[in-house]
Amino acid sequence: MSGANEQPVLIAMTVCNAAANLDAQLRSIAAQDHENWTLIVSDDGSQDGSAGIAQRFAQKVGARRVIVRQGPQQGFAENFLTIVRDFWEPGHCLAFSDHDDVWFPDRLSRGLRALAGVSADSPALYCSRTIITDAALRPLRLSPPRPRAPSFRNALAQNIAAGNTILANPAAARLLHEAACRKPRIVSHDWWAYQIVTGAGGTILHDDAPTVLYRQHAANQIGANDSARARMRRIGMILSGVYRRWNDVNLSALASAADLLTAENRDLVERFAAIRSRTRGLRSMIALRKLRLYRQTPASTAALYLAALFNRL
């Protein structure tokens, strides 16, 4: 990617009853040291004046730079997909934004500098750690590191790309646009993006430095996953069957975009699907081991094998 300072970026923001925190996030976007951005604010039926806050922001910075539209009201993941499908233009990078965080001033420029090291025709996705805060943006801790390398084998098992930090180069954004046009049902936009980009043989650049203040409050759609309690809850979801339902959705979405994946990764998807449908117990664990899927921690990876053993994969 050349001319990073001039690189246009489409920012996709979904909103639902975000009035308490939306203004701070919009101001942090306006304060970016990379100025060539367009923001789509897709409001999913807010009843608290969120759309009005976004409209006033659009009037302040310019209607060409900020578009406020009505979302599909089918959940945050579908709302993000509609922006990718309906508003992305060739040559633009794509950034995801939550409505309740605060971006560092170099959130975009730092990602663009990292992506500049990847060939322009190769899909690449930048993401980073975050500073987890309380509802008043008081810092609590740094989000966990990602000790194991990103890959499709990791993406099939878990998501490590925090959506509020994602920046896709134009090649990756084109890939996500094409996948979104298949109108898949997805679990979350960031996990889907991680799977599609790695599945197509793209590059993931995970920055160990934070770029976002990640606000925690009672209405978080997902929330941080960095405490021992949160990790145990996620592991419990693996064993309870929630994870199996997520995999059902993910594999269906990958099937809809199978032609975008590498031959090796299409085969990996098919083998993973076959293990889930045709094997049980110890045989399932052995077959899963041959796939070499992994999560980021030993405990979480062990839970993956237990899920296979108890038909929860």
Side-chain angles (χ1 to χ4, degrees):
M1 186 189 303
S2 61
N5 290 336
E6 292 78 38
Q7 174 63 52
V9 179
L10 176 70
I11 304 171
M13 176 190 285
T14 65
V15 168
C16 186
N17 294 327
N21 302 312
L22 180 58
D23 186 62
Q25 173 65 321
L26 292 173
R27 283 188 279 109
S28 77
I29 291 174
Q32 290 297 294
D33 57 18
H34 179 82
E35 298 180 352
N36 192 5
W37 51 262
T38 302
L39 171 65
I40 309 298
V41 180
S42 187
D43 183 80
D44 239 359
S46 296
Q47 301 297 315
D48 64 351
S50 294
I53 294 171
Q55 291 284 6
R56 288 189 291 274
F57 179 74
Q59 292 169 5
K60 181 178 180 180
V61 303
R64 289 188 175 183
R65 298 193 72 190
V66 181
I67 297 171
V68 183
R69 49 100 68 164
Q70 185 177 20
Q73 299 189 43
Q74 297 175 30
F76 75 95
E78 178 60 24
N79 201 358
F80 273 111
L81 278 186
T82 61
I83 300 176
V84 176
R85 186 165 62 237
D86 298 342
F87 290 93
W88 178 79
E89 297 179 5
H92 286 62
C93 287
L94 173 67
F96 290 138
S97 172
D98 292 345
H99 59 232
D100 47 5
D101 300 322
V102 169
W103 286 6
F104 291 7
D106 64 348
R107 151 74 157 93
L108 294 178
S109 63
R110 185 177 178 89
L112 288 169
R113 286 193 298 272
L115 291 168
V118 180
S119 173
D121 59 358
S122 178
L125 185 150
Y126 168 92
C127 54
S128 79
R129 296 172 77 178
T130 65
I131 293 179
I132 298 167
T133 77
D134 65 13
L137 290 180
R138 290 185 290 262
L140 299 175
R141 56 198 176 272
L142 190 62
S143 65
R146 301 302 186 184
R148 305 194 67 178
S151 72
F152 190 57
R153 281 181 162 83
N154 180 226
L156 278 179
Q158 73 174 142
N159 177 43
I160 65 164
N164 53 356
T165 71
I166 280 178
L167 179 66
N169 73 354
R174 182 188 310 113
L175 184 69
L176 295 174
H177 170 75
E178 292 178 7
C181 285
R182 316 293 170 83
K183 298 186 177 181
R185 187 167 65 93
I186 63 174
V187 173
S188 64
H189 60 294
D190 45 8
W191 196 358
W192 167 78
Y194 182 34
Q195 291 189 336
I196 292 294
V197 173
T198 56
T203 301
I204 304 297
L205 304 173
H206 189 277
D207 195 342
D208 200 49
T211 60
V212 171
L213 296 177
Y214 182 13
R215 191 195 307 257
Q216 299 297 291
H217 53 81
N220 282 114
Q221 291 281 355
I222 300 294
N225 185 30
D226 68 312
S227 68
R229 182 177 180 181
R231 286 192 292 268
M232 289 304 297
R233 184 170 62 248
R234 294 294 174 95
I235 291 173
M237 293 171 77
I238 292 177
L239 300 179
S240 71
V242 172
Y243 183 69
R244 181 173 178 84
R245 292 194 291 275
W246 287 350
N247 279 333
D248 288 339
V249 175
N250 286 343
L251 289 173
S252 176
L254 287 169
S256 73
D259 60 304
L260 303 177
L261 309 182
T262 67
E264 178 185 357
N265 288 332
R266 282 197 301 272
D267 178 67
L268 193 61
V269 169
E270 291 173 3
R271 291 166 63 195
F272 184 45
I275 290 170
R276 298 179 70 245
S277 63
R278 300 175 191 169
T279 62
R280 295 291 184 272
L282 190 59
R283 289 180 58 201
S284 184
M285 287 183 64
I286 294 171
L288 183 64
R289 184 175 178 81
K290 291 179 180 179
L291 288 191
R292 294 183 286 117
L293 303 191
Y294 62 90
R295 292 169 65 89
Q296 289 292 308
T297 66
S300 189
T301 300
L304 185 69
Y305 284 100
L306 286 175
L309 180 64
F310 294 110
N311 194 32
R312 296 292 188 271
L313 191 61

